[in-house]
Amino acid sequence: MSTDGWKNFGEYGADIDPGNIHGKTALGRALEDALERMIIEGGIKSPASTRRGLKARMAYLTTTQGGPQALTDAGITATPKTIRAWTKGKQRPRPANLEAIDTAYWNLRAANILNNPGVFKQHLNNQGKGTRVEIHPINQHVVEEKRRRDNLRTRTLQIRYIWDEAVDAMTTNDLAALEDIWDDIIAELDSDWGAYTYVRHIGLGA
């Protein structure tokens, strides 16, 4: 299925609204949002300002490959002795260092997940159950009234099998692959597929 079939997009004003974007672009953004949520939701919940949160972050940063460099990149210049004291909870860093430790933790966690896309693929594949795709149709307020489609609504699909390819396409910014994947997704809408080639927003859920 090719999006060339919907050559009239914008003829009646739908492309005036910059919020109306191609599904491949919206899918890429949705994947990035889902990845960010996974990084945050799976991370340490206690704030760095608490003893528990600080010790957990320091444990991660001192036992995970790349941790020392992440601390350096975040601006930490403390001695190894001070680092050990922070890790054991025997000394509390100054506020600026607490913020830097928090930054180092989240940067390292994000880098480790990004460098291991299999984790994100596994999350989206959800043990074969797939991921819910919520498709918000284009904003038609800018379309000529007589050309508006009143039956367009938010559609929800449970999508399986495409997530390995989708994550690979997102990480390499392969828009052609994302377009093919989006075509496969909206093919589930049968005759309505063309109306969702361009969309307002795409959300990914469990």
Side-chain angles (χ1 to χ4, degrees), residues 90-103:
K90 294 182 178 180
Q91 183 176 330
R92 182 176 177 80
R94 296 192 304 271
N97 282 334
L98 272 176
E99 184 175 350
I101 290 167
D102 193 44
T103 297

Side-chain angles (χ1 to χ4, degrees), residues 111-165:
N112 285 338
I113 291 176
L114 289 170
N115 291 331
N116 186 14
V119 174
F120 189 35
K121 292 175 181 179
Q122 186 178 35
H123 173 74
L124 293 170
N125 284 317
N126 192 23
Q127 298 181 324
K129 299 175 185 176
T131 291
R132 186 177 66 251
V133 179
E134 188 175 81
I135 309 169
H136 296 255
I138 61 171
N139 175 12
Q140 296 198 84
H141 295 308
V142 294
V143 178
E144 291 181 20
E145 187 172 357
K146 63 181 180 180
R147 299 292 182 178
R148 293 176 187 171
R149 291 189 55 174
D150 295 331
N151 62 333
L152 286 188
R153 55 187 172 84
T154 298
R155 303 292 296 271
T156 301
L157 301 169
Q158 190 73 18
I159 300 297
R160 303 171 177 82
Y161 311 123
I162 57 91
W163 297 113
D164 287 3
E165 293 80 4

